[in-house]
Amino acid sequence: MKEQYVLELQHIRKEYPGVIALKDVTLNVKKGEILALIGENGAGKSTLIKTCSGAVIPTSGKIVVNGKEFESMTPQLAAENGIAIIYQEFNNVAELSAAENLFLGRPIKKGFIIDKKAMEREAEKAFQQLNIKINPKTLMKNLTVGYQQMVEIAKAIQQNAKILIMDEPSAPLTSAEVESMFAVVELLREQGVSIIYISHRLEEIYRLSDRIVVLRDGEYIDTLITKNSHVDELIQLMVGRELTETYPPRGDCINPNEVVLEVDKLSGNGDKDISLKIHKGEILGLGGLVGAGRTELAEMIFGSAKKESGTIKFKGNEINPKDPREAIDIGIALVPEDRKRHGALLGSSIKNNINMPIYERISKFSVINSKEEMRVAEKYREDLAIKTPTLQQLVKNLSGGNQQKVILGRWLAANSELVILDEPTRGIDVGAKYEIYKLMNELVEKEGKTILLISSEMEELMGMSDRIIVLAEGKMTGELQKNEFSQNTIMAFASAIEEVKEDEK
Ligand SMILES: Nc1ncnc2c1ncn2[C@@H]1O[C@H](COP(=O)(O)OP(=O)(O)OP(=O)(O)O)[C@@H](O)[C@H]1O
Ligand SMILES: [Mg+2]
């Protein structure tokens, strides 16, 4: 008997000017399974799943839902046929409650009047069904990102979604939030919901999925049964070559006599009394849980947030950058964590984005040296493997991971002496991660730069740092030399708030 699939994508093709995002992709989803969708940045994952919601209209191909055939979807058709997508940027309204968001656009009414009580009751039920503890009255803006995502999932389930598609759902979450999200996803599978799960974190894929579909360059490559597959095989299918080392080796290039950055008893922006030194050629890792105050520290150094007290010295001189412009001018760069909000000019080209901080330097009498402009953009396209047909491409048309690479390229192009990288590889595929690590090595080894690396990925932090400083709740809780690196020690410091308070008494 032919197996019944809840969703079949048949021979899906999607063309954009100059790009074939999908070529003849066929895959199917069974009832009550978690199907992982993986592939490098720009492989076509987001484009493919967007065909299921009508956000992308395929050039050709068919979408079959429970045996019903569609040439393309619309948001309404998708909803009617039980398909829901959780995108990375949620569509919620911060000033409304969780319950109101759950019923956004389709409120429960009593006559002409919106029935708040009924919505709260229904929301309560939906949350209970997923085993999540959210007060339906809580305003969305007061919920953590993790809970906001839960509301989105509850909304999908409340609308009777049978196929839930999640595009990199773990990317913005803390590790505890990821665990809760997994629990919900597994519960949904038990309830017979089918899930398509996109992630660059392979350990999640192994933990959650039943089958794995691999895309490469817009093409379907293979489907694997998760429990019978091996991670090396998976990586090879994704990147089309073997990756042997995860972290490229780096020679000793630290100059212990030259302090590039010295922060002394720095307080403000949620941080208290932080003191640290970074030497020339060093990669100093900043560890801690999300919300520990690492980004906040970076912001004060970069002039995008005010300090209250303490001093910041850069190459021996005290600095007080009042805005990022000033920090950039003296040689400090910050590649922000939330690159969409703080970084990319989405409506502008790749070339413009990369050259942005250096236009002054490559111009004479207000005339841009376009050869140099091209050379710089070309260099980072190559170094970071930015997937695009042309450097004139608008950044908004790139895949999520490739947008991140553009912003990273911009700050590397700025040629700053101190480069602060806040979660530089979030949303970046395994192959490109390696390229970024190589570039970081090159910066410190060959170009004599210094790096402050903020990362929540423990492996990356330990793999790339020369030394690690751990923060918790805005305070420094520990410092580890390379021979002391261990996941347990870092975690202990990262959650060591209580012990520190004891010490202070
Ligand atoms: N509106 C658009 N115009 C032009 N090209 C586009 C557009 N949307 C997507 N693309 C291209 O289609 C390809 C696939 O992009 P997609 O966003 O699906 O990748 P992805 O697998 O989700 O990558 P990531 O892991 O980085 O999120 C990319 O080359 C991208 O540049
Ligand atoms: Mg994507």
Side-chain angles (χ1 to χ4, degrees), residues 41-42 44-47 50 88 167-168 198 200 399-401:
N41 297 128
K45 305 176 295 296
S46 297
T47 308
K50 282 179 187 163
Q88 258 195 47
D167 197 353
E168 298 189 44
I198 300 179
H200 287 292
S399 78

Side-chain angles (χ1 to χ4, degrees), residues 167-375:
D167 197 353
E168 298 189 44
S170 60
L173 304 185
T174 65
S175 42
E177 287 171 340
V178 170
E179 284 303 318
S180 321
M181 186 260 292
F182 283 1
V184 169
V185 169
E186 281 170 338
L187 187 67
L188 286 172
R189 167 169 58 187
E190 272 169 44
Q191 296 172 359
V193 175
S194 306
I195 291 143
I196 301 182
Y197 189 94
I198 300 179
S199 176
H200 287 292
R201 301 183 185 163
L202 300 180
E203 71 279 6
E204 295 182 352
I205 303 292
Y206 275 97
R207 161 90 191 274
L208 276 183
S209 72
D210 300 296
R211 295 190 303 148
I212 307 170
V213 168
V214 184
L215 296 185
R216 187 168 75 228
D217 280 337
E219 288 183 77
Y220 168 86
I221 300 295
D222 206 351
T223 304
L224 308 171
I225 310 284
T226 309
K227 62 176 193 296
N228 300 338
S229 76
H230 190 271
V231 64
D232 291 339
E233 177 193 11
L234 209 60
I235 291 176
Q236 180 147 17
L237 288 173
M238 266 171 76
V239 303
R241 60 179 194 279
E242 231 175 310
L243 280 182
T244 40
E245 302 154 313
T246 334
Y247 299 99
R250 178 168 76 236
D252 183 13
C253 54
I254 304 173
N255 181 350
N257 299 322
E258 203 170 325
V259 176
V260 172
L261 183 82
E262 181 172 1
V263 165
D264 193 38
K265 296 201 180 66
L266 190 65
S267 295
N269 204 20
D271 284 334
K272 275 176 236 91
D273 226 7
I274 294 184
S275 301
L276 57 84
K277 281 183 192 164
I278 317 179
H279 306 94
K280 191 177 167 71
E282 185 175 33
I283 298 183
L284 176 69
L286 208 50
L289 304 173
V290 173
R294 297 168 300 168
T295 298
E296 287 70 13
L297 176 64
E299 286 171 346
M300 287 190 282
I301 299 169
F302 192 55
S304 51
K306 276 210 166 52
K307 68 174 170 99
E308 275 154 25
S309 60
T311 55
I312 306 170
K313 276 191 196 160
F314 183 61
K315 296 193 290 181
N317 302 316
E318 185 169 348
I319 58 164
N320 282 301
K322 62 177 183 315
D323 54 29
R325 184 75 257 169
E326 209 178 308
I328 294 165
D329 285 344
I330 55 176
I332 301 175
L334 169 71
V335 182
E337 169 182 32
D338 188 347
R339 284 170 275 262
K340 276 255 174 64
R341 203 169 316 150
H342 298 125
L345 301 171
L346 294 171
S348 193
S349 73
I350 299 174
K351 190 178 72 180
N352 284 346
N353 265 278
I354 292 182
N355 282 286
M356 200 197 76
I358 60 167
Y359 273 124
E360 220 166 296
R361 203 170 70 216
I362 62 169
S363 303
K364 222 179 192 171
F365 309 117
S366 305
V367 180
I368 296 166
N369 178 345
S370 51
K371 243 191 180 160
E372 181 61 10
E373 186 191 19
M374 207 57 193
R375 189 194 65 79

Side-chain angles (χ1 to χ4, degrees), residues 88-103:
Q88 258 195 47
E89 287 104 41
F90 313 136
N91 298 317
N92 60 43
V93 182
E95 299 299 328
L96 294 181
S97 72
E100 285 165 316
N101 270 282
L102 223 145
F103 289 96

